[in-house]
Amino acid sequence: LPAGLSQWFPALEVLDVSGTGLAELGAELLALPRLHTLLAKNNRLGGPGSLPKGLGQAPLGRSLRVLNLSGNRFAEVPPALLGLRGLQSLSLGGNRLHGIPPDIQELRSLEFLYLGGNFITSIPPELANLPSLSYLVLCDNKIQSIPPQLAQLHSLRSLSLHNNLLTYLPREILNLVHLEELSLRGNPLVVRFVRDLTYNPPSLQELAGRTIKTRSVPYAPSDLPENLVRYLSLASNCPNPKCGGVYFDSCVRQIKFVDFCGKYRIPLMHYLCSPECSSPCSSASQSSTSQSESDSEDEASVAARRMQKVLLG
């Protein structure tokens, strides 16, 4: 950065030096008392001396609200940044980070944290001590698990975790009542979920068996081979009260939310005879189930579709 910057522009509030090939940000920045937004994306920052010493104690340390250092070469979150107590937005995406320091909790004013596109393998529980954090982006890393403490992020509205190595989510994630966006695509958790939801079309034998059962076609054991009689006895009734169908081997796996002791709504696998019977526009015949049960099933179907949308990002 040019010397004398603070003398030339003492009232500077926004500075964008992105894509300029900078390998360090000079001490001239420290004397800019009104600078609240610093954008230094896509440079060569990351080596020793990339950031000026005394950053947290300088006037800039008190005024800075937005800092974007994405697309650089940082192998760790610079300790100097942890002194920026007024920082509200921090972006370090597309660097070479392998972890998140527990002292990230010192950035108590942080509302937006972008750490996507790094090599992060774990999330420290201390991240949950950021009371104002609303947007957390951790996509495109190597994260294998989510600490249950993240449920303490009561201000969190958006959580991006796609393209990681997650195989499960802690039940506590349901406590994020203000969460509006959850992106999980590209994780083993979702890949397995989508594979399990694959619907294989019924065989000709199953189609014939369904027709016999749903239309109550009469038959006697002496009319059919023993193996077919046994097959027909294995028919399962579709649990959707708006569908009077049956299934044998081919069914649709869905997620159904079940109230657990009046405290949690937990997802369980739910089996339906066809994709159409989960649709509110289904033309399937009504069964003799009560209206309250029908309403409950509709709610479960809607929740299932929402969960699929969430999981698929």
Side-chain angles (χ1 to χ4, degrees), residues 240-242 265 289-302:
N240 188 344
K242 292 188 176 181
R265 287 181 63 79
T289 314
S290 68
Q291 184 62 44
S292 61
E293 290 176 331
S294 297
D295 292 342
S296 175
E297 190 67 32
D298 286 344
E299 179 185 355
S301 297
V302 171

Side-chain angles (χ1 to χ4, degrees), residues 227-241:
N227 63 320
L228 292 182
V229 174
R230 188 182 311 111
Y231 178 79
L232 289 171
S233 69
L234 298 176
S236 298
N237 293 318
C238 183
N240 188 344

Side-chain angles (χ1 to χ4, degrees), residues 73-135:
R73 302 176 181 180
F74 290 102
E76 63 177 10
V77 176
L81 299 186
L82 303 177
L84 301 174
R85 302 302 171 83
L87 201 62
Q88 296 174 353
S89 175
L90 174 61
S91 299
L92 278 164
N95 277 273
R96 302 171 182 177
L97 305 180
H98 284 79
I100 305 172
D103 287 345
I104 194 80
Q105 64 183 337
E106 301 299 326
L107 301 179
R108 303 283 292 178
S109 300
L110 208 59
E111 299 177 4
F112 178 91
L113 179 59
Y114 190 105
L115 298 175
N118 284 285
F119 303 96
I120 298 169
T121 58
S122 61
I123 303 172
E126 289 81 3
L127 193 63
N129 296 329
L130 297 175
S132 302
L133 193 63
S134 298
Y135 298 89

Side-chain angles (χ1 to χ4, degrees), residues 181-210:
E181 299 175 349
L182 174 61
S183 179
L184 292 169
R185 68 182 184 274
N187 282 280
L189 164 73
V190 180
V191 172
R192 186 178 66 244
F193 179 88
V194 172
R195 184 186 64 233
D196 289 344
L197 286 181
T198 301
Y199 178 64
N200 296 318
S203 64
L204 291 176
Q205 176 177 271
E206 177 153 346
L207 288 173
R210 289 187 182 198

Side-chain angles (χ1 to χ4, degrees), residues 9-127:
F9 306 106
L12 192 66
E13 296 183 354
V14 178
L15 177 61
D16 188 350
V17 291
S18 300
T20 55
L22 287 175
E24 65 178 57
L25 298 175
E28 296 80 13
L29 287 174
L30 301 180
L32 295 171
R34 298 187 183 181
L35 189 69
H36 59 73
T37 300
L38 175 58
L39 310 177
K41 302 179 293 181
N42 304 324
N43 284 300
R44 294 186 291 118
L45 302 170
S50 290
L51 301 180
K53 295 181 179 179
L55 184 59
Q57 292 73 39
L60 177 65
R62 294 186 291 273
S63 66
L64 202 59
R65 297 292 180 267
V66 177
L67 177 60
N68 193 326
L69 296 173
S70 292
N72 281 283
R73 302 176 181 180
F74 290 102
E76 63 177 10
V77 176
L81 299 186
L82 303 177
L84 301 174
R85 302 302 171 83
L87 201 62
Q88 296 174 353
S89 175
L90 174 61
S91 299
L92 278 164
N95 277 273
R96 302 171 182 177
L97 305 180
H98 284 79
I100 305 172
D103 287 345
I104 194 80
Q105 64 183 337
E106 301 299 326
L107 301 179
R108 303 283 292 178
S109 300
L110 208 59
E111 299 177 4
F112 178 91
L113 179 59
Y114 190 105
L115 298 175
N118 284 285
F119 303 96
I120 298 169
T121 58
S122 61
I123 303 172
E126 289 81 3
L127 193 63

